[in-house]
Amino acid sequence: MDSLISAAAQALAGGDPLGALNRVALRDDPPALALRGIAMARLGDVIRAKALLRRAARGFGPKAAMARARCAVAEAEIALAARDLSWPTKALAEARTTLEQHGDRANAAYARSLEIRRMVLVGHLDEAERGLADLDPAPLQPAARTIYELIVAGLALRRLQTKAARSALERASRTAHRTRSPELHAEIERAATTLSAPAARLTRDGEDHLLQLDEVEALFRSDMLILDACRLSIRQGSQIVPLARRPVLFALARRLVEKSPDGVPRAELIAHAFRGKDADESHRARLRVEIGRLRHLLRGLAEVNATKDGFALRPGGNRDVVVLAPPVEDENAPVLACLADGEAWSSSGLAVALGESQRTVQRALESLASSGKVQSFGRGRAQRWTCTVVTEFATALLLPAWSSLD
């Protein structure tokens, strides 16, 4: 490695992308192209960065397998930072295998951490947890070790393990001091604020209370029957009934829980769940069918009994019944929750993370943009979306967590 390449690499490691570019900006050899790509990514030009890294990989040729693998890892890192979650994970896995075979344990471990971070972003929490258990962070350099601790913290927040999240953020902060990366410090601060910000609104006996994440964690450990309007489920202790894909049953359950132990008239249930202004016999027949389905799902947790003019929900064991909802309810709250991480997302990345079609996400973004809650920049495939204001509440309960609910 010549002196300019070495100096540029040191500048990048020290958080100085402009200094790195000053040394290699006019060079077109593969190592210089790779360093230029990484520097351009640090400066925010993702499109140019990807092109430079691909040129570098082609320039290294098939015989320089390890160099090509490092370029693939750098490209995956850029895609992840740009929230382009549709990049080919198979290419990253192949690059990791190549690095392991050539003894580059540090970059192989970092590649694996990128794979795990993507799992967390798309809500595959069980898979991410297994990946972290198998990953040895010892070879990671300080910046990569900080990112590793942020992944641990992010997974703990999704799991509502606030003590573990706080410990991971403290370790991340200590490790970040050994780097000179303002981006890492900013990400740690954003994650830390979620532990003290309101995370949910608890409704009990007609009164509302704001809860932080540790209070929500304690609530989930209690024996209360909880209608979770954040993750669209009903839970009591370790028993969870997911209703995210059954909106009618969730609407019925919420109205019954809100009025429990009193009954809810049939006309009110029909209007709330079916959006039917005038209940006719077909509405009443459908209501009976949906109530039967809800009874089946809640077996062992609560009973749904017919009353003179409607239905009433009564939990088993005389438990308390509460509703847990976001501090501010918005039909597009999951999209806002993803954007609240401060990164610029593509609509395709949001679609992958939320498990929705890209058109559904685009409609949500257009609605949020018309109300001034989000904004976009760029065009076509380069278009990215960000929040226009800082979210004043924690969004961990609104983020995808498919493996813990399905």
Side-chain angles (χ1 to χ4, degrees), residues 67-341:
R68 290 168 60 89
R70 288 172 178 169
C71 288
V73 173
E75 188 175 347
E77 179 184 12
I78 292 170
L80 195 60
R83 295 302 187 260
D84 178 12
L85 303 182
S86 59
W87 48 267
T89 55
K90 183 179 179 180
L92 180 58
E94 291 174 349
R96 173 171 55 83
T97 300
T98 299
L99 292 169
E100 289 172 346
Q101 291 172 347
H102 285 78
D104 188 351
R105 296 177 60 238
N107 281 308
Y110 187 57
R112 182 55 176 158
S113 72
L114 292 177
E115 292 177 296
I116 296 170
R117 195 169 207 191
R118 183 185 184 277
M119 295 172 196
V120 175
L121 282 173
V122 300
H124 296 169
L125 304 188
D126 291 340
E127 192 176 353
E129 206 164 49
R130 289 191 294 269
L132 280 175
D134 295 336
L135 175 61
D136 178 14
L140 295 173
Q141 298 299 313
R145 183 60 182 262
T146 302
I147 292 172
Y148 167 83
E149 297 295 354
L150 283 168
I151 297 170
V152 174
L155 179 59
L157 286 171
R158 301 272 185 115
R159 292 291 201 193
L160 281 184
Q161 299 167 349
T162 54
K163 185 177 180 180
R166 189 173 285 108
S167 298
L169 289 175
E170 289 173 356
R171 293 193 299 270
S173 182
R174 289 195 298 269
T175 310
H177 282 303
R178 297 167 58 188
T179 71
R180 288 183 288 178
S181 172
E183 295 86 359
L184 285 178
H185 286 284
E187 189 169 355
I188 293 169
E189 289 176 6
R190 283 197 302 268
T193 57
T194 64
L195 293 170
S196 57
R201 174 169 47 86
L202 178 71
T203 302
R204 182 179 184 182
D205 299 328
E207 296 184 1
D208 289 347
H209 305 279
L210 290 177
L211 302 181
Q212 295 179 354
L213 281 175
D214 57 349
E215 295 172 311
V216 176
E217 182 183 4
L219 177 69
F220 284 173
R221 288 199 301 264
S222 71
D223 66 347
M224 292 183 184
L225 184 68
I226 304 165
L227 184 132
D228 186 352
C230 298
R231 292 181 171 173
L232 304 182
S233 62
I234 296 176
R235 60 189 303 153
Q236 190 272 313
S238 60
Q239 291 183 271
I240 301 175
V241 179
L243 296 174
R245 302 187 185 279
R246 309 187 77 166
V248 170
L249 292 186
F250 180 80
L252 290 172
R254 180 164 187 175
R255 187 49 56 95
L256 289 167
V257 167
E258 288 173 340
K259 296 295 184 69
S260 179
D262 298 328
V264 185
R266 289 178 177 82
E268 183 177 341
L269 289 171
I270 289 170
H272 182 67
F274 307 149
R275 302 292 189 266
K277 295 182 179 179
D278 299 317
D280 57 23
E281 189 56 39
S282 65
H283 287 109
R284 287 189 285 270
R286 185 184 176 191
L287 179 62
R288 288 193 296 271
V289 171
E290 300 296 348
I291 289 292
R293 291 171 176 161
L294 187 60
R295 282 190 181 120
H296 176 73
L297 290 174
L298 297 184
R299 187 175 300 166
L301 295 177
E303 295 180 353
V304 181
N305 300 319
T307 63
K308 183 178 180 180
D309 62 347
F311 296 92
L313 183 143
R314 293 183 176 82
N318 295 320
R319 298 186 183 93
D320 289 336
V321 184
V322 298
V323 175
L324 189 74
V328 178
E329 295 200 60
D330 188 300
E331 63 178 348
N332 298 314
V335 174
L336 284 173
C338 287
L339 295 176
D341 67 357

Side-chain angles (χ1 to χ4, degrees), residues 318-397:
N318 295 320
R319 298 186 183 93
D320 289 336
V321 184
V322 298
V323 175
L324 189 74
V328 178
E329 295 200 60
D330 188 300
E331 63 178 348
N332 298 314
V335 174
L336 284 173
C338 287
L339 295 176
D341 67 357
E343 301 293 344
W345 285 72
S346 65
S347 60
S348 61
L350 288 167
V352 172
L354 297 171
E356 300 284 356
S357 71
Q358 191 167 348
R359 184 60 192 135
T360 297
V361 170
Q362 287 170 342
R363 283 195 295 266
L365 289 168
E366 290 166 3
S367 174
L368 291 168
S370 65
S371 61
K373 294 179 180 178
V374 303
Q375 63 184 5
S376 67
F377 58 89
R379 291 174 177 268
R381 292 185 178 181
Q383 187 178 38
R384 294 294 183 271
W385 295 85
T386 60
C387 276
T388 55
V389 294
V390 177
T391 306
E392 297 180 351
F393 56 89
T395 59
L397 294 173

